[in-house]
């Protein structure tokens, strides 16, 4: 059995990057066989750009990527925190990995269950 690298990527790291840089970083890391868990996830435009760029790079040694995300539960915050917090409902935990290694088994509002296989 070979090793599988799982990178937990903080919002602080991704928020310092522009959209194109963020997408390029994700694709480059997934091409290396890494599975990435993004604390905040991507906005809809970035996710579309990620899929579009991935489709242009599919070749014999890169099968594309698998991406799953779900909304964060912000119910524990205060009324004022929710009132003034921008994009509170848009923040998502996101799992991204090579399509030939990561398979989603089950997904609902509180759980993403995946199977990770070696190459």
């Amino acid at each position: 059995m070979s090793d599988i690298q799982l990178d937990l990527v903080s919002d602080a790291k991704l928020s310092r990057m522009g959209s194109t840089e963020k997408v390029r970083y994700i694709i480059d890391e997934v091409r290396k066989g890494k599975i990435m868990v993004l604390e905040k996830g991507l906005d809809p435009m970035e996710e579309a750009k990620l899929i579009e760029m991935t489709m242009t790079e599919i070749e014999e040694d890169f099968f594309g990527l698998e991406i799953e995300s779900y909304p964060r539960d912000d119910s524990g915050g205060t009324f004022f925190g929710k009132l003034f917090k921008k994009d509170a409902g848009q923040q998502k935990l996101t799992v991204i990995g090579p399509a030939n290694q990561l398979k989603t088994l089950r997904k609902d509002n509180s759980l993403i269950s995946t199977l990770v296989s070696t190459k």
Side-chain angles (χ1 to χ4, degrees):
M1 180 174 170
S2 65
D3 294 332
I4 297 170
Q5 183 170 336
L6 180 71
D7 286 357
L8 307 174
V9 186
S10 71
D11 178 39
K13 179 176 180 75
L14 291 181
S15 65
R16 292 190 301 261
M17 299 179 188
S19 290
T20 302
E21 183 182 7
K22 208 181 289 187
V23 168
R24 182 81 261 152
Y25 167 72
I26 291 168
I27 291 173
D28 290 346
E29 296 302 295
V30 170
R31 282 188 80 116
K32 294 175 190 172
K34 296 178 183 179
I35 295 171
M36 305 182 72
V37 178
L38 311 182
E39 177 183 15
K40 182 178 176 188
L42 303 172
D43 68 37
M45 294 299 287
E46 291 169 337
E47 199 166 310
K49 184 183 277 190
L50 176 65
I51 293 167
E52 179 183 334
M53 286 179 68
T54 300
M55 296 305 286
T56 65
E57 297 191 22
I58 291 177
E59 33 186 68
E60 192 172 309
D61 65 333
F62 181 58
F63 297 93
L65 54 83
E66 178 83 14
I67 180 169
E68 287 294 346
S69 58
Y70 62 85
R72 247 191 222 167
D73 181 5
D74 290 324
S75 61
T78 67
F79 170 75
F80 289 109
K82 290 180 193 176
L83 183 64
F84 294 110
K85 189 172 181 184
K86 219 169 145 181
D87 299 327
Q90 302 228 353
Q91 297 179 345
K92 302 178 211 175
L93 179 74
T94 302
V95 180
I96 305 171
N100 64 334
Q101 289 183 263
L102 187 68
K103 179 182 177 191
T104 302
L105 299 176
R106 189 176 120 212
K107 175 186 165 188
D108 61 34
N109 287 336
S110 61
L111 173 76
I112 298 173
S113 179
T114 61
L115 178 65
V116 180
S117 63
T118 58
K119 292 181 180 179

